[in-house]
Amino acid sequence: MRVSVVGCGYLGAVHAACMTEVGHEVVGIDVDEAKIAALSAGETPFFEPEFGELLERALSSGRLRFSTKSADAAGSQVHFVCVGTPQKAGENAADMRYVDAAFTALADHLAPGDVVVGKSTVPVGTATRLAARVAEVQPGATLVWNPEFLREGFAVQDTLHPDRIVYGLPEGPAGQRARAVLDEVYAAPLAEGMPLVVTDYPTAELVKVAANSFLATKISFINAMAELCEVAGGDVSALADAIGHDDRIGRRFLNAGLGFGGGCLPKDIRAFMARAGELGADQALTFLREVDTINLRRRDRVVEIARQVLDGSLAGRTIAVLGAAFKPNSDDVRDSPALDVAARLHGHGAQVRVTDPHALANAARIHPDLRYVADVKQAVADADLVLLLTEWREYVDLDPTELAIQVRSTTIIDARNVLDPQAWRNAGWTYRGLGRP
Ligand code: UDX
């Protein structure tokens, strides 16, 4: 099928390459000229495992091209809208300007029978509004809402083999025709037996924010338990293992530590609260405010422990920060807890040296005031304190004995609870986790 993908960020670029991989002919469209030039040359504008090879394969198949011109969407039967919906400055609500611009750009290029597929995470009610716009410019075209659940770091696998597919369809024959088109687009994952949920627009929109709210709640729940463990002398990791054995609870997303960040969870729960307020249902989501608060309190806690272990003063102390990305296997620093903690320590007068395997360039754009170094060795040289803030494999695998020789003081805060406390203590370190004795 001929497919266009509007918006070539983490979601759209991967989606475009994956659609090519499963046999479609794809054009990826974005207004960012530098991004389009890079993607066209087979260069990945962001770090995402497996994406480089996939992009190369897709480009050399001759079935994938990139363009800055929305007119190049003409001729495609399916148009995916994959643009971002960031948090509005100074507000909880989502900024819809990129979604609206994408629909404006597509308007002149739709033909009868085309299917427009919204994948962006949007406030519930958006699809109904946009369907009316599509009907106005091209009555023969149909809008489908098809949320995306990919995780950064696993984007390629999650796109090729999603754990479920959701279609939000309009009622009537147009919806059924659009469904048949999407079934063809997703023939490969559907043939693998992927669960398919077919529903209406509002449910499809809500599925996405409900899923992210649940995940955020799970993380804040275990972080609240970490706070309890700290005052009661318990161990939150053992607690998570024990409750996680209950299938109804499950162990995944119960890792206590510095909390969640990134381009989705934080802004999605805030936008969901804002939308609930507009719909007069703010009470239903009041708990998400608490989820957000617990999450942000993790950052305060790490700064507080740093101050404690440095005998009450951060000013002038040398602190090695391992990790800037919001999570490992990503170079994304949007709402990164790690980078936020580094910036706060710097604000308190500490000499902070930040390292990360892939996120330094992005981090430097947001926080040019911080000092960045290429590797762990440079970060920890003569450090008074080491902070592990993003659990990259290479940090989890650090040898405590080897590292002990390089620092000034053998004190580490493991803000992701990923190190073996006993092994580090045996090597002479003062080890502090979060919610661990
Ligand atoms: C998330 C959703 O998982 C995905 O389905 C959706 O499409 C987009 O948002 P992503 O932002 O890539 O994906 O990251 P995710 O792996 O969910 O992690 C989010 C944050 O939670 C990270 O900062 C991570 O460090 C943190 N986290 C995750 C924890 O603190 N503890 C955990 O147990 C799990």
Side-chain angles (χ1 to χ4, degrees):
M1 301 188 84
R2 295 185 65 183
V3 169
S4 84
V5 177
V6 181
C8 291
Y10 286 95
L11 163 60
V14 173
H15 191 69
C18 287
M19 286 293 103
T20 315
E21 178 87 354
V22 297
H24 304 303
E25 190 174 325
V26 183
V27 55
I29 298 169
D30 199 293
V31 291
D32 183 336
E33 287 181 13
K35 194 181 282 176
I36 289 303
L39 286 166
S40 303
E43 291 158 19
T44 56
F46 46 83
F47 174 76
E48 180 62 48
E50 297 184 47
F51 178 53
E53 305 88 75
L54 178 79
L55 178 65
E56 210 177 288
R57 237 183 359 259
L59 287 170
S60 54
S61 74
R63 284 184 285 105
L64 174 63
R65 69 198 166 94
F66 291 95
S67 166
T68 52
K69 295 190 202 73
S70 48
D72 284 334
S76 290
Q77 190 187 354
V78 181
H79 308 272
F80 286 99
V81 175
C82 297
V83 294
T85 50
Q87 189 175 340
K88 270 190 197 167
E91 280 181 56
N92 273 349
D95 186 343
M96 295 300 291
R97 80 177 92 164
Y98 306 107
V99 172
D100 287 327
F103 275 80
T104 305
L106 275 176
D108 292 338
H109 311 295
L110 297 177
D114 280 9
V115 179
V116 182
V117 187
K119 289 193 91 61
S120 307
T121 303
V122 294
V124 60
T126 302
T128 303
R129 172 172 72 80
L130 293 173
R133 275 186 72 184
V134 170
E136 214 171 278
V137 296
Q138 179 46 265
T142 306
L143 177 72
V144 175
W145 214 262
N146 171 224
E148 179 58 58
F149 306 102
L150 69 80
R151 298 159 298 167
E152 287 177 27
F154 301 92
V156 173
Q157 283 311 313
D158 283 354
T159 305
L160 289 175
H161 311 283
D163 51 17
R164 79 287 212 188
I165 298 175
V166 177
Y167 302 163
L169 300 176
E171 280 178 7
Q176 290 314 309
R177 273 196 301 275
R179 177 189 172 156
V181 171
L182 269 196
D183 282 349
E184 209 177 322
V185 169
Y186 290 125
L190 289 173
E192 288 175 8
M194 221 49 71
L196 170 66
V197 178
V198 180
T199 182
D200 49 40
Y201 286 150
T203 310
E205 292 166 312
L206 285 168
V207 166
K208 173 61 191 255
V209 280
N212 277 354
S213 298
F214 192 87
L215 294 172
T217 304
K218 213 173 166 189
I219 299 169
S220 279
F221 171 82
I222 201 65
N223 281 328
M225 295 305 111
E227 293 186 7
L228 261 299
C229 283
E230 272 183 28
V231 290
D235 181 343
V236 74
S237 298
L239 177 94
D241 290 344
I243 64 171
H245 283 302
D246 184 332
D247 282 347
R248 294 170 302 173
I249 296 174
R251 180 63 179 82
R252 294 176 74 193
F253 269 69
L254 277 187
N255 295 323
L258 188 49
F260 59 82
C264 293
L265 261 45
K267 65 107 177 153
D268 285 355
I269 62 169
R270 292 172 195 152
F272 198 15
M273 283 185 273
R275 184 63 184 141
E278 286 168 5
L279 294 169
D282 44 336
Q283 277 190 336
L285 299 187
T286 309
F287 76 96
L288 286 179
R289 198 172 327 140
E290 202 53 42
V291 166
D292 201 7
T293 306
I294 293 169
N295 190 53
L296 295 175
R297 202 152 64 216
R298 307 312 289 160
R299 307 174 187 187
D300 302 336
R301 183 70 190 131
V302 171
V303 173
E304 192 185 308
I305 299 175
R307 195 195 303 278
Q308 259 175 31
V309 297
L310 291 172
D311 303 322
S313 172
L314 293 163
R317 312 303 292 276
T318 303
I319 301 181
V321 167
L322 310 187
F326 84 104
K327 68 171 190 181
N329 298 316
S330 170
D331 63 356
D332 197 344
V333 296
R334 286 176 292 172
D335 212 331
S336 165
L339 196 55
D340 190 19
V341 167
R344 289 182 196 205
L345 294 169
H346 173 78
H348 287 296
Q351 306 281 330
V352 178
R353 280 192 227 124
V354 184
T355 191
D356 189 285
H358 290 280
L360 292 186
N362 285 343
R365 265 191 287 277
I366 296 187
H367 275 294
D369 45 330
L370 299 179
R371 179 158 172 224
Y372 299 98
V373 294
D375 53 33
V376 174
K377 198 166 174 223
Q378 291 176 54
V380 303
D382 295 326
D384 297 308
L385 171 65
V386 178
L387 289 187
L388 196 165
L389 300 186
T390 312
E391 69 277 32
W392 287 93
R393 188 78 243 168
E394 56 211 89
Y395 303 157
V396 179
D397 289 343
L398 281 169
D399 179 345
T401 310
E402 226 170 81
L403 207 68
I405 323 166
Q406 301 168 40
V407 294
R408 186 181 301 144
S409 168
T410 46
T411 307
I412 185 159
I413 301 173
D414 171 14
R416 292 292 179 179
N417 288 341
V418 286
L419 303 176
D420 175 358
Q422 208 45 56
W424 282 74
R425 287 185 181 129
N426 290 346
W429 286 78
T430 300
Y431 170 94
R432 289 290 299 268
L434 296 189
R436 291 172 123 181

